[in-house]
Amino acid sequence: MCTNVLLTGGRAPATLELARMFGKQGHEVHVADSFSYSISRYSKYVTFHEIRSPRQDESQYIEDLNNIIDENGISLLVPTCEEIFYIAKHKDVFPSSCVVFTEEIEVLETLHRKDRFIQLVKQLGYAAPETHSVSDVRGWESFFQKRKKEEWVAKPVYSRFSNGTCFSADFPEAVERLKRGVPYVIQALVKGKQYCTYSISVDGELLAHTQYEALHRGKGGASVAFKHEERRELERWVRSFVRKMRFTGSIAFDFILTEEGGWLPIECNPRVTSGIHLFRGCFLPGLFSQEKERVFPCKEGFMISALCLWNEGKRILTLNQKMPPYPKGYKDIFFDQEDPGPFLYQGISLYGWRREAKRLGVSITEASTYDIQWDGEGQ
């Protein structure tokens, strides 16, 4: 049975992947975003709706979504990026005829905020890195006076793309943020390999799961190449966690595989992430509606070709042997013979982000979430 589906966060390549999945299976796909150059709008499977920003006009954003739902007979709403928090906060105002695929805001907030996530992990009986919270400059200075000789990583409790992250007590930006009331977490620096997971769970049942090593990264720290790797112990951890939480929705974790062979979670993203590319060609849309059969990731690797080529150029020019080589044999996440628009127009989307970053006076990575990010608004 075909569904009229509404996806939000059309700017994200992960949303484009999901839109193509729905579209190829005969569903009518609508995508809403406040960024007019969203990559998904160039897909032949998508009817695009430009709407208000949830961060800048929360009530109008929810009203815009409700209008799209009413006018187009939407029966499934799937938030994909950080606008999920605003949608979850107002989950009760959407019509009962439309399934909103997200957990409650209280659950999402606990998972998203880095200090509360670590507290939850420990409460559920899992190991986690030593983690402390500081809310002002006095707390920051007091902590590092006592523990300065140890190795730590500090980051804002709400952050993305490693923004504001530091590995030293002498970090002026952290002090300035603390002065503005931005709380930080200080976490023991764990040596090892970083892995990312992406899963879909319904009522605590793990229906889709993948993990990949975060080997190839962009400037902001986010992965730009992805290939599923069998790690049964990691999958068991995630399955146990979502079962204890009775979690419904998309959920992703960052882990460190320690030098001793243990797994330590460091943060959580309770939303769609790049791991969804590893389910290309799978019957994934069914997990959001009626079908509840387990779906497994494909064996192919995927990448953002332009960024991987950029990294390869830097590796060659700087003779940096520590940088991973270009991921050969991986497919570009934008390219699809049946849907060439996003691949052909990705330069236009990048132009839009450059223009937006210049207007806001921030980096492109910061601009990409500026109008949808959630930093605990109203909580």
Side-chain angles (χ1 to χ4, degrees), residues 250-267:
S250 289
I251 190 166
F253 299 94
D254 289 346
F255 285 88
I256 298 294
L257 173 58
T258 69
E259 295 173 343
E260 295 75 31
W263 294 96
L264 292 178
I266 53 176
E267 58 184 74

Side-chain angles (χ1 to χ4, degrees), residues 288-304:
F288 299 94
S289 52
Q290 299 297 323
E291 303 295 330
K292 296 293 182 282
E293 293 185 8
R294 178 71 191 270
V295 174
F296 297 92
C298 59
K299 296 180 180 180
E300 297 171 306
F302 297 89
M303 64 178 172
I304 303 176

Side-chain angles (χ1 to χ4, degrees), residues 228-244:
H228 175 74
E229 187 175 323
E230 283 295 328
R231 291 284 183 173
R232 297 294 179 90
E233 64 278 21
L234 193 51
E235 182 176 335
R236 284 195 294 269
W237 192 102
V238 176
R239 178 180 289 108
S240 172
F241 185 92
V242 298
R243 183 185 298 124
K244 289 181 179 181

